[in-house]
Each structure stands twice: as C-alpha cells, then as structure tokens.
C-alpha cells in the first residue's frame, strides 16, 4: 500500500486497474468484453430546449467507453459517484455529438441534448476521436 495525502492507497498498475474496472462493469452488464477508453472524471449537464439553458444533472464520475459482445456493440457507461444510478448510452449510427473541449455535447436516442464536462480536456479529445473511429465507419460484427 502506498501512502498518498494521508490515505492508504492500493498499489495497482494500469493493467490491474483496468481489469478491476472491467470486473465491476461486467457486474452491471455481463456483455461488456473490453474497456476501450476511460476518462477519470466527468460531470453531466442537460440542455433544456424550451428555456435554452444548461443545468447540471445528478451524474458525475468515471466514464468508460466499452465494447460489448452483443448489440449494441458500443456504449459508454458512467459509474456515478452521486447516486446509485449509473448512466449508460448506446453508441449507434444515429448518435450525434460535437466537441467544444473540455465539453462533449451529444443528442441521445431519446433526443435529449446532454453535455459531458471532462476534468481533463485531453480525455475529451481522446473520447471524441474514439467515437469518430467507430460511429462513422462500417462496423464489422
């Protein structure tokens, strides 16, 4: 165990951490087969079209883009630190998004407009690039 700012922290390398996260995600969804990318800390906002304003949602935590062994093949999951409701969005061909770093704005299947604020702007770019790689190309199943 490593001492870090007065707290005992387990010494986990990146691979062990990824394996641990995969195990946790598979408890939520047994079809998750791989974590493609992780963003350490994100906060969600929703856009009220009638009022033309953003408000903070009760969703905050680590974001995982995952590959599944069934349809839908790709999703992102946020392990919510604010309550027990984790956020899951399917990444399908009609998923629309736009990057305004450190925000990634998207419209989901329910036509809700949401914004994801990334603590680390680089993670925002990396997640958007990953979305781009499989949303706008034919997916081999």
């Amino acid at each position: 165990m490593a001492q870090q700012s007065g707290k005992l922290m387990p010494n986990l390398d990146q691979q062990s951490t990824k394996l641990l996260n995969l195990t946790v995600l598979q408890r939520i969804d047994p079809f998750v087969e791989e974590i493609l990318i992780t963003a350490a800390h994100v906060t969600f906002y929703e856009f009220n079209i009638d009022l033309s304003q953003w408000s903070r949602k009760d969703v905050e935590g680590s974001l995982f883009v995952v590959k599944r062994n069934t349809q839908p093949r790709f999703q992102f999951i946020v392990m919510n630190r604010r309550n027990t409701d984790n956020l899951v969005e399917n990444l399908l061909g009609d998923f629309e998004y736009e990057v305004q770093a450190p925000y990634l704005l998207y419209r989901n299947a329910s036509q809700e407009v949401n914004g994801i604020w990334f603590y680390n702007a680089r993670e925002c770019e990396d997640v958007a690039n990953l979305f781009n790689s499989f949303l706008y190309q034919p997916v081999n199943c």
Side-chain angles (χ1 to χ4, degrees), residues 48-63:
N48 183 317
I49 294 167
D50 298 329
L51 299 174
S52 290
Q53 70 183 32
W54 290 95
S55 61
R56 190 173 175 160
K57 291 179 84 160
D58 205 23
V59 179
E60 190 175 303
S62 297
L63 178 143

Side-chain angles (χ1 to χ4, degrees), residues 88-92 94-96 106-114:
V88 178
E89 292 280 9
N90 297 327
L91 297 168
L92 302 167
D94 61 353
F95 183 86
E96 297 174 51
Y106 72 94
R107 182 188 310 270
N108 64 15
S110 306
Q111 297 302 302
E112 298 167 325
V113 176
N114 293 301

Side-chain angles (χ1 to χ4, degrees), residues 54-119:
W54 290 95
S55 61
R56 190 173 175 160
K57 291 179 84 160
D58 205 23
V59 179
E60 190 175 303
S62 297
L63 178 143
F64 301 91
V65 179
V66 298
K67 183 177 179 184
R68 302 171 76 243
N69 56 21
T70 188
Q71 293 297 335
R73 295 285 285 156
F74 301 99
Q75 290 180 326
F76 70 77
I77 300 170
V78 177
M79 299 296 290
N80 197 355
R81 293 188 188 125
R82 296 185 63 83
N83 61 50
T84 55
D85 297 327
N86 297 313
L87 183 130
V88 178
E89 292 280 9
N90 297 327
L91 297 168
L92 302 167
D94 61 353
F95 183 86
E96 297 174 51
Y97 70 97
E98 175 185 327
V99 177
Q100 293 178 10
Y103 292 91
L104 189 147
L105 312 175
Y106 72 94
R107 182 188 310 270
N108 64 15
S110 306
Q111 297 302 302
E112 298 167 325
V113 176
N114 293 301
I116 309 170
W117 175 80
F118 289 78
Y119 177 77

Side-chain angles (χ1 to χ4, degrees), residues 29-47:
D29 179 355
F31 298 110
V32 170
E33 66 179 20
E34 184 183 353
I35 296 171
L36 301 176
I37 198 167
T38 303
H41 188 81
V42 299
T43 301
F44 273 72
Y45 293 84
E46 62 187 327
F47 188 71

